[in-house]
Amino acid sequence: MIASWGLIWPAITAAFLASLVEAVESLTIVLAVATVRGWRPAGLGALAGLAVLALTVVALGPLLDHVPLHLLQFVIGVLLLLFGMRWLRKAILRAAGVIPLHDEAAAFATETAELREQARRNEARLDWIAAFTTFKAVFLEGLEVVFIVIALGAGRGMLVPASVGAAAACLAVAGIGLVVHRPLARVPENTLKFAVGVMLSAFGVFWTGEGLGVPWPGGDFAIVGFAAMFLTVSSAAIVLARRPKKRALS
């Protein structure tokens, strides 16, 4: 039971933070559509995305029971590591100033402008375009949330804690979005992506080793060590990535 807590809280935290980022991005698109075309097509598209996502989970979920545990851990570990490293790479480049920081307010303005341009071109079909836009946003971002939850929870009975973290994040973002009716631009999304990248990469190394039968020192708590390692290396990478810029300025 003591060892299990080494996975429970990291799984809940990682799922919550990752889902928070995906939910904020979905909310931005839904609000942009609602601003241009109203809540009816925006809401219908979002609900359709959630329905298809739920059907996908119901259809694919039982298949996990037929996969050998070590194979499942290894495959998910590798995928989770690649997924986490992708987030971490972008977060490092943004923190170092190599690529621009993600701005939800700017994304909202861009999405709104694109929808208004489509409105001028084809007014009759805009409701369908608007609904499909929110459907695609909710389904694709939700699919990433589902993958993260499965990856964090598979093999150790952690699906419930990971699902709780993801659901809490999605409900919180949806609730706040419905109240304020504006993008959550103040959410430190780039910092969250950095933290999520570190945690997902740590889980990826842990699950890959578990699948290969590696006896990690400290058991489940080895995840904390991996997270510290990725945090240290990533912080050093940010410093190194900033150096050429400083030299150029001097």
Side-chain angles (χ1 to χ4, degrees):
M1 178 64 69
I2 295 178
S4 66
W5 283 101
L7 283 175
I8 290 176
W9 288 111
I12 292 176
T13 303
F16 179 85
L17 294 179
S19 301
L20 191 67
V21 171
E22 303 295 350
V24 167
E25 293 181 355
S26 294
L27 176 66
T28 299
I29 296 175
V30 172
L31 288 176
V33 172
T35 299
V36 175
R37 204 59 191 172
W39 281 101
R40 187 173 182 274
L44 289 176
L47 289 175
L50 289 174
V52 174
L53 185 64
L55 291 175
T56 303
V57 172
V58 171
L60 297 180
L63 297 178
L64 295 176
D65 296 332
H66 300 286
V67 181
L69 178 59
H70 285 294
L71 177 61
L72 181 64
Q73 289 175 330
F74 176 76
V75 172
I76 285 182
V78 171
L79 293 176
L80 195 57
L81 180 59
L82 294 174
F83 197 81
M85 291 297 291
R86 179 173 67 88
W87 281 41
L88 198 53
R89 174 182 171 274
K90 288 184 178 180
I92 290 172
L93 293 176
R94 283 171 176 158
V98 177
I99 60 177
L101 294 175
H102 185 78
D103 188 342
E104 286 302 326
F108 176 80
T110 301
E111 189 70 31
T112 302
E114 290 178 355
L115 287 169
R116 283 175 175 158
E117 178 63 24
Q118 291 175 343
R120 286 191 290 267
R121 292 179 180 177
N122 198 336
E123 177 70 23
R125 295 179 56 194
L126 186 61
D127 282 348
W128 290 101
I129 294 173
F132 179 73
T133 300
T134 57
F135 168 83
K136 183 176 65 173
V138 171
F139 177 73
L140 293 181
E141 301 293 350
L143 208 56
E144 291 198 31
V145 171
V146 170
F147 169 76
I148 291 171
V149 169
I150 292 175
L152 292 172
R156 285 292 188 90
M158 304 297 297
L159 284 175
V160 172
S163 299
V164 168
C170 293
L171 289 175
V173 170
I176 295 173
L178 289 175
V179 172
V180 302
H181 285 191
R182 66 183 63 182
L184 305 185
R186 293 187 179 181
V187 174
E189 185 171 340
N190 297 291
T191 302
L192 290 178
K193 286 184 176 180
F194 184 85
V196 171
V198 168
M199 299 187 72
L200 295 186
S201 299
F203 269 97
V205 172
F206 180 81
W207 286 126
T208 301
E210 288 280 292
L212 294 173
V214 176
W216 294 122
D220 297 340
F221 289 100
I223 295 175
V224 178
F226 294 138
M229 178 189 69
F230 278 106
L231 179 61
T232 301
V233 173
S234 300
S235 300
I238 293 173
V239 174
L240 292 174
R242 284 175 175 170
R243 283 186 177 179
K245 185 177 180 180
K246 291 181 178 179
R247 289 176 182 174
L249 292 175
S250 62

